[in-house]
Amino acid sequence: MCKLTIQENTKHMKTRRIMAVVLAALMMLSIIPVAFAEEISSISADAALSVRMDDAWAAIELAEAEALADNLPASDVINAVYTAALNNENVDADSFSDFTADGFFFTVNGMHCAYNYRLRNKIEANVTEEGSVTFNASNGKVVEMRDATSPNVLLVGPYYGGYDPTFTDQYRREATSIAEATGGTLTILAGHDATGPAIAAAFPDKGAVIYDSHGIASGTSSYLCLTTNQGITNEDYANGWAVRSGNEAFIDGRYVENHITSALDNPFVWMAICEGMKLSGRGTTGAALLRAGCGAVYGYSQSVTFVGDYKFEETFWNVIKEEGTIAEAYATMVDVWGPVDPYGDAWPIVMSPVDDFPANPDQAQTVYCDWTLFGESEEPIALKGYTLSANEANIAVGETVTVKFNREPEDANLYDIIWTSSDENVAVVDGNKRKVKITGSGSGTATVTGTVMVNGSVYGTAVIAVSVTGDESLAAALNVEGGNLWFGTSTEYPFTAVDDGTRVFARSGNKRVVNSKSQLMLTIAMQSGDTMAFDYICSSQTDRDFFNFYVNRQVELRKSGVTEPDWQRYTFTAPEDGVYYFVWEYTKDSGGSQGEDCVCVDNVAFTGTTPSTPEPTPEPTPEPPVEEHDGDINGDGNTNTADAVFAMRYALGLIELTETQLIHGDVNEDGVVNIVDAIGIMRIAMGLN
């Protein structure tokens, strides 16, 4: 269900009549000081504009009320309102724009307005005005903040209190949890207390801001919907950063930018609203919030479903609260749920100083923002010891586990870690100074090692024993003849092996299950030019249910309907060296089903070095020592950790190397010695290369 609901509401029409006061003021201009007269003139002009705005909305609301009373369908109600607005002398005749199935935008004497049937006709029965509240959600711990320099949290819920009962307690619980994690306070602006001025005034001294509301986009911007227009001025409407909708209003990021009362504390703004990052909104809201002093902004390209947003939200913020970056949280979120609303067509988008508004927000995004809720102390603090949250991991192919690096003291920062896997055909790693993510890529065992570096020297190592199990029947069904790839699949609605008498293949497992997805996963370390190819067939409800093929979270292939001809072949070519994560996914919406309602995959072939269990081989005949590019920087005849330290210290600008040493240290033969070479030398020393 979309974050837009349809309900009935009785509209109260009122028009202020103050022209007599205006005329009296004008008559006095000849007998009062010029400055005061100018002020009165300005007030009078603004009052006159308000009268015109009220008159226009009185006509619109009358037309709407009459159409609703006649029980006309939504399209006829919208048409009646449009006719009334078009014929009103106060409405700018050529200003109508952004027509949708729900309404349109227009101006009154240059002041921005909008009519939206679904937003205006929501349930308002049993409204219990909540008002704003600030309370201490802290668990008592004091946390030093980094990117967000305040531990406090702001939650904006204009529809709380019964204005739209579709909104649940999801974000109240989440905002409370965030404040508990940071040790800060939580401020909730609910119902009619969520005014434009109140929101702008609450932005300072916040590390996280959450919009839990409806949203709407026009050709000008993307807007947060409020249940009141209190405090919003004609100037705001004229500038386009506020839009009037009867007794309600919409505001965008420019409104906050132009009304904040003090500097912001680099907060992260999570917009759980529809169309917050819609293409027609041009990223205006996100750009304005960044200019205002926000660290990053999250939103959706289309109307998002409640259930889809809640799934995204919970996964994302769990990573943030576990000291992850926005980039890590986003990547984890799309790994779990895919890069688009599982039950709709809204794509999550992040804007930050390193993440521009995408040219096309309706596709997967790679996020780079390293904003964190918790951060490192700016003061150098030595590492005195460490432990791991786990020393072994038992996972399935395609499954990912995270192991935390626990420091002593907790705020130690004078160290670095190099994470490596003894066999990337079994397990691949992605780690930093706080944790390592281990993903099963094939059946077998491997050792994950974290080499802890302090001042360019090896301080110690942290070792994790990894065991990965694979589904042999799935591997047999999917591999091309002679192939040895291992596959993972989703726990809920897994892909399964099928023998139809003509071929053996794997088929998605969520047939006839609404709002569901079935996934097949493969991880391969590839070199530039390597290929991975497969056969596929899709049979689904056209433009409702989809087969998506992802490469490193980016959509490479998207199909819907019935594949013609039946089986087709697709080939992916690696553009560069690296680890590649492949996902075959079949997603279903809340509607019906057509055809076989599945996707099938077969004959997966990899052109590179196919992962397999190595066979014992005779001891090789010793070869003459390598004279160049062997990693032996110190010239002692061995390539060991001491050489890796030399390479790292040179890469950091701490020492100089001779020409001969540079040749030996350039193990990847790219003409320079850097951190990549240091890691390569470490791998040689550990017997991995």
Side-chain angles (χ1 to χ4, degrees), residues 23-87:
L23 290 173
L26 292 172
M27 293 173 63
M28 296 177 60
L29 292 179
S30 62
I31 60 173
I32 58 179
V34 174
F36 190 48
E38 290 177 349
E39 183 178 353
I40 292 180
S41 179
S42 176
I43 294 172
S44 300
D46 190 62
L49 287 175
S50 295
V51 169
R52 293 181 179 182
M53 177 78 85
D54 286 344
D55 281 344
W57 276 103
I60 289 171
E61 291 180 334
L62 177 61
E64 179 189 51
E66 291 176 344
L68 290 173
D70 292 337
N71 293 317
L72 297 179
S75 59
D76 289 346
V77 175
I78 295 169
N79 188 59
V81 170
Y82 171 69
T83 302
L86 186 65
N87 294 327

Side-chain angles (χ1 to χ4, degrees), residues 171-182:
Y171 278 103
R172 297 176 197 266
R173 294 192 300 269
E174 188 61 81
T176 301
S177 177
I178 298 169
E180 289 176 344
T182 64

Side-chain angles (χ1 to χ4, degrees), residues 387-460:
T387 59
L388 295 175
S389 62
N391 294 108
E392 62 180 32
N394 300 303
I395 56 178
V397 172
E399 184 180 359
T400 297
V401 65
T402 298
V403 177
K404 295 183 66 176
F405 182 81
N406 301 315
R407 303 164 295 177
E408 176 61 37
E410 290 185 357
D411 54 353
N413 54 22
L414 291 180
Y415 72 99
D416 206 350
I417 307 178
I418 302 170
W419 295 101
T420 56
S421 170
S422 64
D423 190 348
E424 291 187 334
N425 292 328
V426 175
V428 295
V429 296
D430 180 18
N432 55 31
K433 296 173 66 172
R434 299 287 190 89
K435 58 194 173 186
V436 60
K437 292 171 61 176
I438 306 169
T439 301
S441 55
S443 182
T445 59
T447 300
V448 170
T449 302
T451 303
V452 185
M453 308 292 294
V454 175
N455 295 325
S457 300
V458 177
Y459 180 84

